Amino acid sequence: MEDQLKAGGEYLDTLINLFVLWGPKLVGAILALVVGLYLAKAISRMVGRAMDKKQVDPSLRPFMVSLVGTLLKVLVVISVLGMVGIQMTSFIAILGAAGLAVGMALSGTLQNFAGGVIILVFRPFKVGDYIEAQGYAGSVKEIQIFNTILTTPDNKTIIIPNGGLSTSSMVNYSTEPRRRVDWTFGIAYGDDVDLAKKTLLDLLLGHDKVLKDPEPFVEVGALADSSVNFTVRAWVESADYWAVHFYMNKTVYKKFAEVGLNIPFPQMDVHLDK
């Protein structure tokens, strides 16, 4: 009986010593875990509200909030484990090596992901814009996290990876409300230059979709090999660009013929030697 009491006392002393040694650390770790998880959740909510204010694309917001929350929770857990005396150096090193290997294996995919985030955050274009990039042109149908989908005027679907799209040059034809339409019209040498200029100006000013400010521009642009070329410019609303472009091409051809102006074209004389 005495031996049992002695063993029980030693066991109790061991428990007391362990409690004295680890108790404050465990209590502190639990408090740190609770407070850390609460702060991680609060910061995630703040990130979500900030993205709402900046009007970040709805498809990106949940993913980014979840990513920030997960990273913060991982940091909290690692910090708590370190507080109770667990050595995390080796674990972090292994985790870093694994992350590096995965990153190298998925470098192209990660680049496209990062490009998608940049596009959705900074919004160089939006759905419905007509853009030209990576050798392709079309209307933006959808912006995904890895790819951007375009639809061409002849109804082809083009999928462009976001990595190259976010780091290379791009032309957005829909950003500005107005666009300038440029033409080059030629008349034959010997035709009336003043009449040609007046005819072109009358056609532009008579079109209701051609803006009067800035004024249309018509001047002799070049004395070419077989024609006197006029540089013609007019400003229109972006939505009216192609309507005005095709209208002038068709109408100038008809009007020049009516007023006696000739549109030169290449000709070849063949001489037969008998």
Side-chain angles (χ1 to χ4, degrees):
M1 177 66 71
E2 184 178 351
D3 293 339
Q4 291 179 349
L5 292 175
K6 184 177 180 181
E10 292 177 352
Y11 182 70
L12 181 61
D13 291 340
T14 302
L15 288 178
I16 293 173
N17 291 333
L18 289 174
F19 179 78
V20 172
L21 179 63
W22 292 99
K25 292 183 179 181
L26 289 174
V27 173
I30 292 172
L31 289 175
L33 180 63
V34 173
V35 174
L37 293 177
Y38 174 80
L39 290 176
K41 188 175 182 179
I43 293 174
S44 298
R45 290 176 178 175
M46 291 174 58
V47 171
R49 288 195 293 268
M51 296 180 75
D52 284 339
K53 290 181 180 179
K54 291 183 175 293
Q55 297 182 345
V56 176
D57 193 275
S59 61
L60 177 64
R61 181 184 176 280
F63 177 81
M64 292 301 296
V65 172
S66 176
L67 179 63
V68 171
T70 302
L71 291 176
L72 290 175
K73 290 175 183 177
V74 170
L75 291 176
V76 169
V77 171
I78 291 175
S79 300
V80 169
L81 292 176
M83 291 177 62
V84 296
I86 299 176
Q87 297 295 325
M88 300 301 297
T89 305
S90 300
F91 174 75
I92 294 175
I94 294 173
L95 187 63
L100 178 61
V102 172
M104 293 179 64
L106 301 176
S107 59
T109 303
L110 293 177
Q111 183 182 12
N112 292 333
F113 168 76
V117 172
I118 292 173
I119 291 172
L120 291 171
V121 171
F122 294 101
R123 302 175 69 86
F125 55 85
K126 60 183 184 298
V127 174
D129 286 355
Y130 189 88
I131 67 171
E132 182 178 349
Q134 301 289 295
Y136 301 99
S139 299
V140 179
K141 179 181 180 182
E142 187 177 352
I143 304 174
Q144 300 177 347
I145 197 65
F146 292 104
N147 304 296
T148 294
I149 300 176
L150 305 183
T151 302
T152 63
D154 56 347
N155 206 30
K156 295 177 183 176
T157 297
I158 300 175
I159 301 175
I160 303 179
N162 286 333
L165 191 59
S166 65
T167 57
S168 61
S169 300
M170 179 200 66
V171 180
N172 189 337
Y173 293 97
S174 303
T175 302
E176 300 297 332
R178 296 179 176 181
R179 287 183 63 186
R180 194 183 75 185
V181 193
D182 293 359
W183 300 270
T184 298
F185 296 113
I187 62 173
Y189 279 99
D191 284 352
D192 191 334
V193 173
D194 295 329
L195 176 61
K197 179 178 179 179
K198 181 179 182 304
T199 301
L200 292 169
L201 280 174
D202 289 344
L203 291 175
L204 290 172
L205 296 174
H207 197 294
D208 59 347
K209 295 187 184 300
V210 174
L211 301 178
K212 305 305 185 287
D213 184 21
E215 295 181 353
F217 175 87
V218 178
E219 288 294 344
V220 175
L223 302 177
D225 293 339
S226 58
S227 63
V228 178
N229 292 336
F230 282 86
T231 298
V232 181
R233 298 169 182 164
W235 286 89
V236 298
E237 299 294 335
S238 294
D240 300 327
Y241 180 91
W242 289 112
V244 175
H245 175 82
F246 292 128
Y247 161 83
M248 281 295 291
N249 286 339
K250 178 181 178 180
T251 309
V252 166
Y253 176 76
K254 291 182 176 181
K255 195 65 177 179
F256 274 14
E258 291 177 6
V259 299
L261 295 172
N262 300 296
I263 299 178
F265 55 90
Q267 301 182 55
M268 179 182 294
D269 291 336
V270 178
H271 301 273
L272 299 178
D273 188 358
K274 297 182 179 179

PDB file of all heavy atoms in Angstrom, residues 44-45 47-53 56-67 120:
ATOM      1  N   SER A  44     -10.427  38.703 -43.789  1.00  0.00           N
ATOM      2  CA  SER A  44     -11.035  38.198 -45.028  1.00  0.00           C
ATOM      3  C   SER A  44     -12.274  39.010 -45.392  1.00  0.00           C
ATOM      4  O   SER A  44     -12.498  39.342 -46.559  1.00  0.00           O
ATOM      5  CB  SER A  44     -11.399  36.718 -44.865  1.00  0.00           C
ATOM      6  OG  SER A  44     -10.255  35.936 -44.617  1.00  0.00           O
ATOM      7  N   ARG A  45     -13.085  39.335 -44.380  1.00  0.00           N
ATOM      8  CA  ARG A  45     -14.262  40.154 -44.642  1.00  0.00           C
ATOM      9  C   ARG A  45     -13.876  41.547 -45.125  1.00  0.00           C
ATOM     10  O   ARG A  45     -14.519  42.109 -46.024  1.00  0.00           O
ATOM     11  CB  ARG A  45     -15.112  40.262 -43.374  1.00  0.00           C
ATOM     12  CG  ARG A  45     -15.808  38.957 -42.990  1.00  0.00           C
ATOM     13  CD  ARG A  45     -16.557  39.114 -41.681  1.00  0.00           C
ATOM     14  NE  ARG A  45     -17.268  37.901 -41.318  1.00  0.00           N
ATOM     15  CZ  ARG A  45     -17.913  37.744 -40.168  1.00  0.00           C
ATOM     16  NH1 ARG A  45     -17.929  38.720 -39.261  1.00  0.00           N
ATOM     17  NH2 ARG A  45     -18.547  36.609 -39.914  1.00  0.00           N
ATOM     18  N   VAL A  47     -11.182  42.334 -46.767  1.00  0.00           N
ATOM     19  CA  VAL A  47     -10.737  42.188 -48.158  1.00  0.00           C
ATOM     20  C   VAL A  47     -11.934  42.102 -49.091  1.00  0.00           C
ATOM     21  O   VAL A  47     -11.966  42.706 -50.165  1.00  0.00           O
ATOM     22  CB  VAL A  47      -9.833  40.950 -48.299  1.00  0.00           C
ATOM     23  CG1 VAL A  47      -9.550  40.655 -49.772  1.00  0.00           C
ATOM     24  CG2 VAL A  47      -8.529  41.145 -47.553  1.00  0.00           C
ATOM     25  N   GLY A  48     -12.961  41.352 -48.682  1.00  0.00           N
ATOM     26  CA  GLY A  48     -14.166  41.230 -49.497  1.00  0.00           C
ATOM     27  C   GLY A  48     -14.864  42.564 -49.689  1.00  0.00           C
ATOM     28  O   GLY A  48     -15.283  42.902 -50.805  1.00  0.00           O
ATOM     29  N   ARG A  49     -14.973  43.353 -48.608  1.00  0.00           N
ATOM     30  CA  ARG A  49     -15.620  44.672 -48.728  1.00  0.00           C
ATOM     31  C   ARG A  49     -14.799  45.609 -49.602  1.00  0.00           C
ATOM     32  O   ARG A  49     -15.357  46.396 -50.385  1.00  0.00           O
ATOM     33  CB  ARG A  49     -15.826  45.268 -47.338  1.00  0.00           C
ATOM     34  CG  ARG A  49     -16.921  44.582 -46.537  1.00  0.00           C
ATOM     35  CD  ARG A  49     -17.323  45.432 -45.337  1.00  0.00           C
ATOM     36  NE  ARG A  49     -16.250  45.528 -44.363  1.00  0.00           N
ATOM     37  CZ  ARG A  49     -16.101  44.695 -43.340  1.00  0.00           C
ATOM     38  NH1 ARG A  49     -16.957  43.703 -43.155  1.00  0.00           N
ATOM     39  NH2 ARG A  49     -15.112  44.855 -42.482  1.00  0.00           N
ATOM     40  N   ALA A  50     -13.463  45.546 -49.471  1.00  0.00           N
ATOM     41  CA  ALA A  50     -12.605  46.392 -50.303  1.00  0.00           C
ATOM     42  C   ALA A  50     -12.758  46.044 -51.776  1.00  0.00           C
ATOM     43  O   ALA A  50     -12.793  46.924 -52.640  1.00  0.00           O
ATOM     44  CB  ALA A  50     -11.147  46.246 -49.867  1.00  0.00           C
ATOM     45  N   MET A  51     -12.867  44.746 -52.078  1.00  0.00           N
ATOM     46  CA  MET A  51     -13.042  44.335 -53.472  1.00  0.00           C
ATOM     47  C   MET A  51     -14.413  44.743 -53.994  1.00  0.00           C
ATOM     48  O   MET A  51     -14.574  45.064 -55.170  1.00  0.00           O
ATOM     49  CB  MET A  51     -12.850  42.819 -53.593  1.00  0.00           C
ATOM     50  CG  MET A  51     -11.447  42.350 -53.242  1.00  0.00           C
ATOM     51  SD  MET A  51     -11.207  40.573 -53.383  1.00  0.00           S
ATOM     52  CE  MET A  51     -11.132  40.389 -55.155  1.00  0.00           C
ATOM     53  N   ASP A  52     -15.412  44.752 -53.116  1.00  0.00           N
ATOM     54  CA  ASP A  52     -16.737  45.230 -53.531  1.00  0.00           C
ATOM     55  C   ASP A  52     -16.693  46.709 -53.896  1.00  0.00           C
ATOM     56  O   ASP A  52     -17.300  47.138 -54.879  1.00  0.00           O
ATOM     57  CB  ASP A  52     -17.759  44.997 -52.411  1.00  0.00           C
ATOM     58  CG  ASP A  52     -18.175  43.534 -52.316  1.00  0.00           C
ATOM     59  OD1 ASP A  52     -18.006  42.812 -53.319  1.00  0.00           O
ATOM     60  OD2 ASP A  52     -18.653  43.129 -51.252  1.00  0.00           O
ATOM     61  N   LYS A  53     -15.979  47.496 -53.085  1.00  0.00           N
ATOM     62  CA  LYS A  53     -15.884  48.937 -53.354  1.00  0.00           C
ATOM     63  C   LYS A  53     -15.157  49.208 -54.659  1.00  0.00           C
ATOM     64  O   LYS A  53     -15.480  50.152 -55.375  1.00  0.00           O
ATOM     65  CB  LYS A  53     -15.171  49.642 -52.199  1.00  0.00           C
ATOM     66  CG  LYS A  53     -15.988  49.696 -50.911  1.00  0.00           C
ATOM     67  CD  LYS A  53     -15.242  50.436 -49.816  1.00  0.00           C
ATOM     68  CE  LYS A  53     -16.073  50.490 -48.530  1.00  0.00           C
ATOM     69  NZ  LYS A  53     -15.353  51.200 -47.443  1.00  0.00           N
ATOM     70  N   VAL A  56     -14.588  44.763 -58.106  1.00  0.00           N
ATOM     71  CA  VAL A  56     -13.856  43.626 -58.660  1.00  0.00           C
ATOM     72  C   VAL A  56     -14.866  42.614 -59.200  1.00  0.00           C
ATOM     73  O   VAL A  56     -15.973  42.457 -58.673  1.00  0.00           O
ATOM     74  CB  VAL A  56     -12.956  42.991 -57.586  1.00  0.00           C
ATOM     75  CG1 VAL A  56     -12.261  41.734 -58.107  1.00  0.00           C
ATOM     76  CG2 VAL A  56     -11.921  44.008 -57.124  1.00  0.00           C
ATOM     77  N   ASP A  57     -14.491  41.947 -60.273  1.00  0.00           N
ATOM     78  CA  ASP A  57     -15.391  40.995 -60.915  1.00  0.00           C
ATOM     79  C   ASP A  57     -15.948  39.986 -59.902  1.00  0.00           C
ATOM     80  O   ASP A  57     -15.196  39.430 -59.094  1.00  0.00           O
ATOM     81  CB  ASP A  57     -14.623  40.244 -62.021  1.00  0.00           C
ATOM     82  CG  ASP A  57     -15.557  39.484 -62.932  1.00  0.00           C
ATOM     83  OD1 ASP A  57     -15.921  38.347 -62.581  1.00  0.00           O
ATOM     84  OD2 ASP A  57     -15.906  40.024 -63.997  1.00  0.00           O
ATOM     85  N   PRO A  58     -17.271  39.749 -59.925  1.00  0.00           N
ATOM     86  CA  PRO A  58     -17.890  38.828 -58.958  1.00  0.00           C
ATOM     87  C   PRO A  58     -17.320  37.417 -58.990  1.00  0.00           C
ATOM     88  O   PRO A  58     -17.333  36.719 -57.979  1.00  0.00           O
ATOM     89  CB  PRO A  58     -19.372  38.828 -59.369  1.00  0.00           C
ATOM     90  CG  PRO A  58     -19.571  40.115 -60.091  1.00  0.00           C
ATOM     91  CD  PRO A  58     -18.271  40.399 -60.785  1.00  0.00           C
ATOM     92  N   SER A  59     -16.840  36.988 -60.146  1.00  0.00           N
ATOM     93  CA  SER A  59     -16.274  35.641 -60.230  1.00  0.00           C
ATOM     94  C   SER A  59     -14.935  35.531 -59.509  1.00  0.00           C
ATOM     95  O   SER A  59     -14.520  34.426 -59.140  1.00  0.00           O
ATOM     96  CB  SER A  59     -16.096  35.242 -61.701  1.00  0.00           C
ATOM     97  OG  SER A  59     -15.206  36.125 -62.354  1.00  0.00           O
ATOM     98  N   LEU A  60     -14.241  36.641 -59.283  1.00  0.00           N
ATOM     99  CA  LEU A  60     -12.937  36.615 -58.618  1.00  0.00           C
ATOM    100  C   LEU A  60     -13.063  36.804 -57.109  1.00  0.00           C
ATOM    101  O   LEU A  60     -12.273  36.252 -56.349  1.00  0.00           O
ATOM    102  CB  LEU A  60     -12.046  37.709 -59.207  1.00  0.00           C
ATOM    103  CG  LEU A  60     -10.664  37.877 -58.564  1.00  0.00           C
ATOM    104  CD1 LEU A  60      -9.832  36.619 -58.780  1.00  0.00           C
ATOM    105  CD2 LEU A  60      -9.946  39.089 -59.146  1.00  0.00           C
ATOM    106  N   ARG A  61     -14.071  37.543 -56.664  1.00  0.00           N
ATOM    107  CA  ARG A  61     -14.171  37.926 -55.257  1.00  0.00           C
ATOM    108  C   ARG A  61     -14.195  36.733 -54.299  1.00  0.00           C
ATOM    109  O   ARG A  61     -13.384  36.671 -53.357  1.00  0.00           O
ATOM    110  CB  ARG A  61     -15.407  38.805 -55.038  1.00  0.00           C
ATOM    111  CG  ARG A  61     -15.581  39.266 -53.602  1.00  0.00           C
ATOM    112  CD  ARG A  61     -16.877  40.057 -53.430  1.00  0.00           C
ATOM    113  NE  ARG A  61     -17.088  40.407 -52.052  1.00  0.00           N
ATOM    114  CZ  ARG A  61     -17.578  39.587 -51.132  1.00  0.00           C
ATOM    115  NH1 ARG A  61     -17.904  38.352 -51.484  1.00  0.00           N
ATOM    116  NH2 ARG A  61     -17.745  39.992 -49.896  1.00  0.00           N
ATOM    117  N   PRO A  62     -15.096  35.741 -54.472  1.00  0.00           N
ATOM    118  CA  PRO A  62     -15.113  34.621 -53.509  1.00  0.00           C
ATOM    119  C   PRO A  62     -13.793  33.869 -53.459  1.00  0.00           C
ATOM    120  O   PRO A  62     -13.346  33.451 -52.384  1.00  0.00           O
ATOM    121  CB  PRO A  62     -16.247  33.725 -54.029  1.00  0.00           C
ATOM    122  CG  PRO A  62     -17.072  34.605 -54.889  1.00  0.00           C
ATOM    123  CD  PRO A  62     -16.132  35.586 -55.493  1.00  0.00           C
ATOM    124  N   PHE A  63     -13.167  33.705 -54.624  1.00  0.00           N
ATOM    125  CA  PHE A  63     -11.904  32.965 -54.666  1.00  0.00           C
ATOM    126  C   PHE A  63     -10.826  33.707 -53.888  1.00  0.00           C
ATOM    127  O   PHE A  63     -10.083  33.109 -53.090  1.00  0.00           O
ATOM    128  CB  PHE A  63     -11.465  32.749 -56.108  1.00  0.00           C
ATOM    129  CG  PHE A  63     -10.138  32.062 -56.243  1.00  0.00           C
ATOM    130  CD1 PHE A  63     -10.042  30.684 -56.132  1.00  0.00           C
ATOM    131  CD2 PHE A  63      -8.984  32.792 -56.454  1.00  0.00           C
ATOM    132  CE1 PHE A  63      -8.824  30.047 -56.242  1.00  0.00           C
ATOM    133  CE2 PHE A  63      -7.758  32.166 -56.556  1.00  0.00           C
ATOM    134  CZ  PHE A  63      -7.677  30.787 -56.455  1.00  0.00           C
ATOM    135  N   MET A  64     -10.705  35.012 -54.092  1.00  0.00           N
ATOM    136  CA  MET A  64      -9.660  35.783 -53.424  1.00  0.00           C
ATOM    137  C   MET A  64      -9.905  35.841 -51.916  1.00  0.00           C
ATOM    138  O   MET A  64      -8.963  35.746 -51.119  1.00  0.00           O
ATOM    139  CB  MET A  64      -9.598  37.192 -54.004  1.00  0.00           C
ATOM    140  CG  MET A  64      -9.098  37.248 -55.441  1.00  0.00           C
ATOM    141  SD  MET A  64      -7.430  36.558 -55.618  1.00  0.00           S
ATOM    142  CE  MET A  64      -6.482  37.702 -54.624  1.00  0.00           C
ATOM    143  N   VAL A  65     -11.158  36.013 -51.516  1.00  0.00           N
ATOM    144  CA  VAL A  65     -11.474  36.034 -50.085  1.00  0.00           C
ATOM    145  C   VAL A  65     -11.129  34.698 -49.446  1.00  0.00           C
ATOM    146  O   VAL A  65     -10.534  34.640 -48.358  1.00  0.00           O
ATOM    147  CB  VAL A  65     -12.962  36.374 -49.878  1.00  0.00           C
ATOM    148  CG1 VAL A  65     -13.346  36.194 -48.412  1.00  0.00           C
ATOM    149  CG2 VAL A  65     -13.250  37.802 -50.318  1.00  0.00           C
ATOM    150  N   SER A  66     -11.480  33.602 -50.112  1.00  0.00           N
ATOM    151  CA  SER A  66     -11.162  32.275 -49.598  1.00  0.00           C
ATOM    152  C   SER A  66      -9.654  32.052 -49.533  1.00  0.00           C
ATOM    153  O   SER A  66      -9.135  31.482 -48.566  1.00  0.00           O
ATOM    154  CB  SER A  66     -11.818  31.210 -50.475  1.00  0.00           C
ATOM    155  OG  SER A  66     -11.445  29.918 -50.058  1.00  0.00           O
ATOM    156  N   LEU A  67      -8.925  32.511 -50.559  1.00  0.00           N
ATOM    157  CA  LEU A  67      -7.472  32.341 -50.585  1.00  0.00           C
ATOM    158  C   LEU A  67      -6.809  33.102 -49.452  1.00  0.00           C
ATOM    159  O   LEU A  67      -5.946  32.561 -48.741  1.00  0.00           O
ATOM    160  CB  LEU A  67      -6.929  32.815 -51.935  1.00  0.00           C
ATOM    161  CG  LEU A  67      -5.408  32.728 -52.122  1.00  0.00           C
ATOM    162  CD1 LEU A  67      -4.955  31.276 -52.041  1.00  0.00           C
ATOM    163  CD2 LEU A  67      -4.997  33.330 -53.467  1.00  0.00           C
ATOM    164  N   LEU A 120      -8.889  40.802 -63.989  1.00  0.00           N
ATOM    165  CA  LEU A 120     -10.141  40.995 -63.275  1.00  0.00           C
ATOM    166  C   LEU A 120     -10.056  42.131 -62.258  1.00  0.00           C
ATOM    167  O   LEU A 120     -11.062  42.770 -61.951  1.00  0.00           O
ATOM    168  CB  LEU A 120     -10.543  39.702 -62.575  1.00  0.00           C
ATOM    169  CG  LEU A 120     -10.972  38.562 -63.511  1.00  0.00           C
ATOM    170  CD1 LEU A 120     -11.135  37.263 -62.737  1.00  0.00           C
ATOM    171  CD2 LEU A 120     -12.269  38.912 -64.211  1.00  0.00           C
TER     172      LEU A 120
END
